Amino acid sequence: MGEHFSKTAALIWSVADLLRGDFKQSQYGRIILPFTLLRRLECVLEPTKDDVIAKYETIKAMPHEAQEKILAVSAKQSFYNTSKMDLTKLGETSVAQNLESYVQSFSSNAREIFEHFDFFNTIDKLSEADLLYKVAKRFATTDLHPEVIDNYHMGLTFEELIRRFAESSNETAGEHFTPRDIVRLTTSLVFCHDDDLLTKQGLVRSIYDPTAGTGGFLSSGMEYVHELNDKAALSAFGQELNPESYAICKADMLIKGQKVDNIKLGNTLSDDHLPADKFDYMLSNPPFGVDWKKVQKKINDEHKFKGFKGRFGAGLPRVSDGSLLFLMHLVSKMRPKHEGGSRIGIILNGSPLFTGGAGSGESEIRRYLLEHDLVEAIIALPTDMFYNTGIATYVWILTNSKPEGREKQVQLINASVDDKEAPDNNFYVAMRKSLGSKRRELPESKIDEIVKLYGQFEQAKNSKIFNYQEFGYRRITVERPLQLAFDVTEDKLHAYLSDHHEKLKKKAPELSLEEVKESHPPSGYQTLQRLIGQPIIMSRNEFLAQFNEKLSAAEVKTLCKYFGEHNDEAEICYVESGKNKGQPEPNPDLRDNENVPLTESVQSYFEREVLPHVPNAWIDESKRDEKDGEVGIVGYEIPFNRHFYEYKPPRKLEEIDKDLDIVSGEIMQLLQEVHS
């Protein structure tokens, strides 16, 4: 049967021979996919076609909703068609009108798919190219009856056609198609812990993809379960923003016998069409680095007004990258642990690992995920794995029901190895022909190797295991005292006078600098003139004592700004009023932050790492974490590459000199050839 489905796919795609010249290669799929769906649906409906037509004649006057329910029963399917027409009866004239009428006669759930394929426009284009009859006739002779090819293998056939469409679309494919090898790896990682469970008879489970694309993840999940247990029922749910991808996904699900009403069209982040549903398995490849400005108000409102009763209670990432919003959306769809829990596989770029410091939205989301023990593993993939980008990518595996021994642990697997000297160590193989930005792929043997590393859950060269707290830290604020030395010079006094002049010009623009100096000088101007050339004053109090007039706090601040400079030998300035009276006054220019690992005492770290270098420093204990009230703001980041970094010493100078000599010799030889 496996050989049969691949032959069937090749036979169907051969229709491209008719299209060549009149249509671009990237357009073939938009013709072949809906025609394949149309032929499959009419083959499935053939046994009950006469019954449906007869029943339709008797209930024409009934409301449409009632008709749909009755006719679906007559068709013994979730869809039906009330036309007497099929692909063999289109005739040789008025083919376009007959075909459009035929498609319009489908039930709304099937007809909608053709509408989103823009199939009626395709019919017109084929008719204009005088190809419609030939294409329709070719599909009419393709046997896609369920007795010949069952739902499962018809699904595989359709997936193969989708893959060919993706490859022919090349650079634009990555927006809607996830490469098959990545899909297979992610699916295997998500399902592998449940292999024993999935072999049980009568099993019913659900799978969900909020960025369904053409349905690759949903299909792969169903295939994985079918390989283990062909009696298991896996219900597919999804939502997709792009109408054409939505049509392909829905067509694929219809062909597989799924309830297509579970596939929704729309923006998952701003308009979740499955708000109350929870799922057993979730898989997603959301767009990398795409901003969410268009839906910002809705998401901000949900975060603000619903909190953890909504999807985004943990926090919001920066508006320039919505990847973590999709992740939090999936987490909100998890079944409670007492109901069996859920497993998630999501593909993200590198920024969700580390973007955003302590207290930021990204850090708070990581904090929520790690402190709730949801992150099970993160796998780094090789670069150049996707159709539309060559950047580094990662597969995150999450669950709220970790197996025994994995509690509070996070496994990092480095499958991004790129060893030019020993290519057998790499997890990828180079493709003979690149597809857009995709130049590498994961062979089945390497997928198995990655899944084995994950399943073994052991420390190894490419597998590291950490307690989640090892990714956390407290950002403490380190203060140093204000120590000012005062040196009055002509240049500083001129700058002080000019600043005062600019302020007066706002009210009296006619005043010149000389007039200001004579009749409206700044505070202490005469005293400052007297101090020019005097020894540096190493105390703020001593400097201010030079002035006879009473100075306001603002005037003191301005004088310190223009004439004071930090000097470690100067006297420490103390706070003169308020709750901190008598305490050293901090110098904002010397303020610094330190990230203290969560696994270490803040005070011990401070005494070891800070005080030996700046003995008069102290921790600002007013900066406390909102959640636990402790000193320091808690942050989380996952510095993946740091944990797998291997130092490679530079080449010896002798080797470099030898190579340079060879290159120099080659250059000299070329120059001699030119001159001769």
Side-chain angles (χ1 to χ4, degrees):
M1 182 67 83
E3 185 181 348
H4 178 66
F5 93 78
S6 59
K7 283 184 177 179
T8 304
L11 177 65
I12 293 172
W13 194 262
S14 69
V15 172
D17 295 335
L18 291 175
L19 306 175
R20 194 167 289 114
D22 292 282
F23 293 88
K24 296 177 182 177
Q25 187 176 346
S26 60
Q27 295 176 299
Y28 295 169
R30 294 181 174 88
I31 298 168
I32 292 171
L33 292 178
F35 264 106
T36 304
L37 173 66
L38 179 58
R39 178 57 179 158
R40 174 64 174 185
L41 296 187
E42 74 176 21
C43 288
V44 169
L45 293 174
E46 190 175 292
T48 59
K49 187 176 182 68
D50 293 341
D51 294 338
V52 170
I53 292 171
K55 176 62 71 174
Y56 177 62
E57 293 298 324
T58 66
I59 62 171
K60 279 182 179 179
M62 295 178 66
H64 183 70
E65 289 185 5
Q67 286 184 39
E68 290 224 323
K69 291 179 181 178
I70 294 170
L71 293 174
V73 172
S74 297
K76 298 179 181 179
Q77 300 291 341
S78 61
F79 55 94
Y80 60 84
N81 187 294
T82 57
S83 173
K84 296 177 182 179
M85 193 80 62
D86 61 35
L87 286 176
T88 64
K89 300 174 183 176
L90 295 177
E92 295 185 28
T93 59
S94 303
V95 179
Q97 295 90 322
N98 291 339
L99 184 54
E100 287 180 14
S101 173
Y102 176 34
V103 173
Q104 292 282 13
S105 301
F106 273 104
S107 53
S108 59
N109 58 355
R111 186 175 64 250
E112 181 205 24
I113 298 173
F114 292 101
E115 290 169 353
H116 285 296
F117 264 122
D118 198 17
F119 188 54
F120 300 115
N121 188 35
T122 297
I123 291 173
D124 291 341
K125 288 181 178 178
L126 284 169
S127 183
E128 289 171 11
D130 197 25
L131 289 173
L132 182 59
Y133 177 74
K134 294 177 183 177
V135 171
K137 186 176 180 182
R138 177 75 74 88
F139 276 95
T141 58
T142 305
D143 192 351
L144 299 181
H145 286 80
E147 299 81 17
V148 176
I149 182 167
D150 60 27
N151 279 353
Y152 173 67
H153 288 92
M154 186 63 220
L156 295 181
T157 301
F158 201 71
E159 284 174 50
E160 173 65 13
L161 296 175
I162 294 171
R163 183 189 67 78
R164 290 175 182 242
F165 180 27
E167 292 182 358
S168 66
S169 300
N170 218 341
E171 286 87 352
T172 61
E175 296 176 18
H176 315 295
F177 305 92
T178 303
R180 182 77 177 170
D181 50 343
I182 304 299
V183 170
R184 184 66 180 181
L185 170 65
T186 309
T187 305
S188 300
L189 291 167
V190 167
F191 282 91
C192 74
H193 279 322
D194 289 353
D195 282 358
D196 293 338
L197 174 69
L198 293 170
T199 57
K200 293 183 179 179
Q201 294 297 312
L203 182 80
V204 179
R205 286 289 185 271
S206 58
I207 184 171
Y208 171 65
D209 184 350
T211 54
T214 57
F217 271 131
L218 299 177
S219 296
S220 183
M222 287 185 279
E223 285 171 34
Y224 189 98
V225 173
H226 187 275
E227 289 167 10
L228 293 173
N229 177 8
D230 60 7
K231 300 294 190 295
L234 195 62
S235 299
F237 296 77
Q239 187 162 334
E240 170 56 29
L241 179 62
N242 178 272
E244 182 180 73
S245 300
Y246 164 76
I248 296 173
C249 178
K250 202 163 183 177
D252 193 20
M253 294 303 110
L254 192 61
I255 280 172
K256 288 181 167 70
Q258 285 286 326
K259 186 178 178 183
V260 293
D261 292 343
N262 294 337
I263 308 300
K264 307 294 184 180
L265 176 66
N267 189 312
T268 303
L269 296 181
S270 62
D271 190 15
D272 179 14
H273 285 286
L274 299 163
D277 292 85
K278 307 291 182 184
F279 306 101
D280 299 297
Y281 304 104
M282 290 172 264
L283 297 156
S284 179
N285 176 23
F288 299 149
V290 173
D291 72 56
W292 46 281
K293 195 173 293 181
K294 290 180 181 177
V295 295
Q296 187 173 6
K297 186 179 186 307
K298 282 193 174 184
I299 291 171
N300 284 343
D301 287 348
E302 182 172 341
H303 170 68
K304 181 178 179 180
F305 298 114
K306 291 188 177 182
F308 284 98
K309 291 182 180 178
R311 297 171 291 172
F312 311 120
L316 297 178
R318 62 199 64 197
V319 77
S320 59
D321 188 352
S323 299
L324 283 170
L325 293 177
F326 286 103
L327 178 50
M328 291 306 298
H329 169 81
L330 289 174
V331 168
S332 75
K333 300 287 187 183
M334 282 181 152
R335 291 194 189 282
K337 186 175 181 179
H338 67 269
E339 293 181 12
S342 300
R343 292 183 60 76
I344 294 171
I346 182 170
I347 300 167
L348 301 172
N349 62 11
S351 64
L353 293 168
F354 51 79
T355 300
S360 68
E362 292 93 345
S363 178
E364 286 299 294
I365 292 170
R366 288 190 291 268
R367 179 179 186 176
Y368 178 85
L369 297 172
L370 290 164
E371 291 186 351
H372 285 77
D373 203 18
L374 298 177
V375 182
E376 187 170 79
I378 300 174
I379 298 90
L381 299 176
T383 55
D384 301 322
M385 293 299 297
F386 289 83
Y387 296 121
N388 61 341
T389 181
I391 64 173
T393 50
Y394 301 81
V395 179
W396 290 50
I397 304 298
L398 300 95
T399 180
N400 56 354
S401 184
K402 286 187 177 181
E404 185 178 350
R406 283 188 181 257
E407 299 96 335
K408 298 184 178 180
Q409 307 295 308
V410 178
Q411 183 181 14
L412 303 183
I413 296 175
N414 182 25
S416 66
V417 179
D418 191 6
D419 192 335
K420 303 254 185 327
E421 296 178 1
D424 288 345
N425 294 333
N426 300 334
F427 288 86
Y428 71 87
V429 294
M431 296 171 60
R432 285 178 293 178
K433 179 184 177 184
S434 62
L435 296 170
S437 296
K438 184 172 175 61
R439 299 177 179 86
R440 298 168 171 176
E441 60 186 355
L442 299 173
E444 194 68 34
S445 61
K446 293 298 183 178
I447 291 175
D448 292 343
E449 191 176 333
I450 295 168
V451 174
K452 187 177 179 181
L453 277 173
Y454 168 67
Q456 288 174 336
F457 191 59
E458 295 174 353
Q459 297 281 7
K461 181 180 180 181
N462 293 313
S463 171
K464 310 288 184 185
I465 298 166
F466 302 88
N467 182 286
Y468 79 90
Q469 284 195 320
E470 294 180 70
F471 300 123
Y473 61 90
R474 287 187 185 277
R475 188 189 66 201
I476 60 172
T477 301
V478 177
E479 299 283 16
R480 291 171 60 186
L482 186 65
Q483 296 171 275
L484 294 177
F486 295 85
D487 182 20
V488 181
T489 66
E490 291 280 4
D491 289 343
K492 290 181 181 179
L493 186 58
H494 180 75
Y496 179 57
L497 180 65
S498 298
D499 178 66
H500 181 64
H501 180 216
E502 288 299 319
K503 291 175 182 176
L504 291 179
K505 280 172 64 177
K506 293 178 181 177
K507 293 182 178 179
E510 72 281 358
L511 283 175
S512 68
L513 186 62
E514 286 301 317
E515 288 174 319
V516 168
K517 184 192 299 184
E518 294 298 326
S519 57
H520 303 283
S523 301
Y525 187 72
Q526 290 180 341
T527 302
L528 291 165
Q529 283 182 311
R530 178 173 54 82
L531 291 174
I532 292 174
Q534 297 296 313
I536 296 173
I537 300 173
M538 302 293 282
S539 163
R540 182 174 67 179
N541 288 339
E542 185 181 336
F543 172 71
L544 296 176
Q546 307 294 319
F547 298 87
N548 296 322
E549 65 264 51
K550 184 175 177 60
L551 300 170
S552 67
E555 289 170 335
V556 169
K557 186 176 180 181
T558 303
L559 286 167
C560 291
K561 172 185 173 182
Y562 279 95
F563 301 101
E565 292 182 356
H566 178 80
N567 189 315
D568 287 339
E569 303 300 321
E571 182 180 282
I572 291 175
C573 303
Y574 290 89
V575 180
E576 295 185 352
S577 61
K579 65 177 182 179
N580 293 324
K581 183 178 180 180
Q583 298 294 318
E585 185 177 337
N587 185 340
D589 293 335
L590 299 180
R591 185 171 293 139
D592 200 3
N593 293 310
E594 290 281 335
N595 291 340
V596 182
L598 280 184
T599 52
E600 187 170 351
S601 156
V602 168
Q603 192 59 38
S604 298
Y605 177 93
F606 181 71
E607 291 174 359
R608 185 185 73 248
E609 299 292 338
V610 179
L611 288 182
H613 308 288
V614 277
N616 57 4
W618 70 92
I619 300 171
D620 181 355
E621 296 193 358
S622 68
K623 303 286 176 61
R624 292 177 175 266
D625 187 76
E626 287 186 2
K627 290 187 171 65
D628 64 19
E630 298 292 327
V631 174
I633 312 300
V634 172
Y636 280 89
E637 64 176 34
I638 304 172
F640 197 103
N641 292 336
R642 185 194 307 166
H643 294 299
F644 291 96
Y645 174 75
E646 290 184 6
Y647 173 73
K648 292 184 177 180
R651 295 171 63 201
K652 294 180 180 179
L653 286 174
E654 294 82 359
E655 293 179 9
I656 297 173
D657 287 340
K658 190 176 180 180
D659 287 347
L660 286 173
D661 289 340
I662 294 171
V663 173
S664 298
E666 291 173 351
I667 293 172
M668 292 303 296
Q669 185 177 350
L670 289 170
L671 288 172
Q672 288 173 2
E673 290 175 3
V674 170
H675 288 298
S676 61

